[in-house]
Amino acid sequence: MGGGFLVGVMDPVFERGVGPEFSAIDIRVLDLIGWDLESRASADCNENGLPDVQDLATGQSRDCNDNNVPDACELGDFDGDADVDLEDFAGFISCSSPAGSEPPGSRCEVFDAACDGVVDLTDWGVFQVLFTGGPL
């Protein structure tokens, strides 16, 4: 751990670029202060064998938009219906923009696979891989 006297993610002292160890104690403490983590604690939306909260806390998965959902679970899904189809393609087209013109925190972040703040050709390649088709 970082500073030594606090436990898990509650320890405010970590080396730069080193993620904290996420433990059962962390889940228990957050539960005690009112957070309902029981259902999220075991969620594994990207099916990699690790709970999503552990993925994010340890840096195993990215979360470019800081919404506590691994990017792999939402990339390309503009309308939030758990697939990447023609409705999402329409969203991609509307979000494609010159560098820096998309405001942070917009719904367009689901297309920013490169995590660089713009939706461009790099992200288009990822979108094509994720695309499942379907009617508009």
Side-chain angles (χ1 to χ4, degrees):
M1 301 286 155
F5 69 92
L6 296 173
V7 179
V9 297
M10 299 299 176
D11 190 339
V13 183
F14 291 101
E15 293 181 35
R16 185 177 181 94
V18 177
E21 290 183 33
F22 195 86
S23 70
I25 294 171
D26 294 312
I27 294 173
R28 179 74 177 133
V29 167
L30 293 171
D31 185 47
L32 288 172
I33 63 173
W35 287 80
D36 182 16
L37 293 180
E38 291 303 317
S39 60
R40 282 283 299 147
S42 60
D44 183 17
C45 71
N46 57 7
E47 299 177 352
N48 68 351
L50 295 173
D52 298 335
V53 291
Q54 184 177 353
D55 269 349
L56 298 173
T58 61
Q60 296 287 326
S61 293
R62 295 183 327 171
D63 183 17
C64 291
N65 59 4
D66 294 322
N67 67 350
N68 295 317
V69 176
D71 291 343
C73 300
E74 60 186 356
L75 277 176
D77 188 14
F78 188 71
D79 58 4
D81 65 353
D83 68 356
V84 179
D85 55 21
L86 287 174
E87 291 174 355
D88 302 304
F89 173 71
F92 186 93
I93 296 303
S94 69
C95 290
S96 298
S97 58
S101 63
E102 190 56 46
S106 75
R107 290 183 54 213
C108 293
E109 289 177 339
V110 299
F111 298 122
D112 187 12
C115 212
D116 60 3
V118 295
V119 178
D120 56 17
L121 287 176
T122 302
D123 306 307
W124 172 243
V126 174
F127 182 81
Q128 288 177 321
V129 171
L130 298 171
F131 187 76
T132 58
L136 183 61

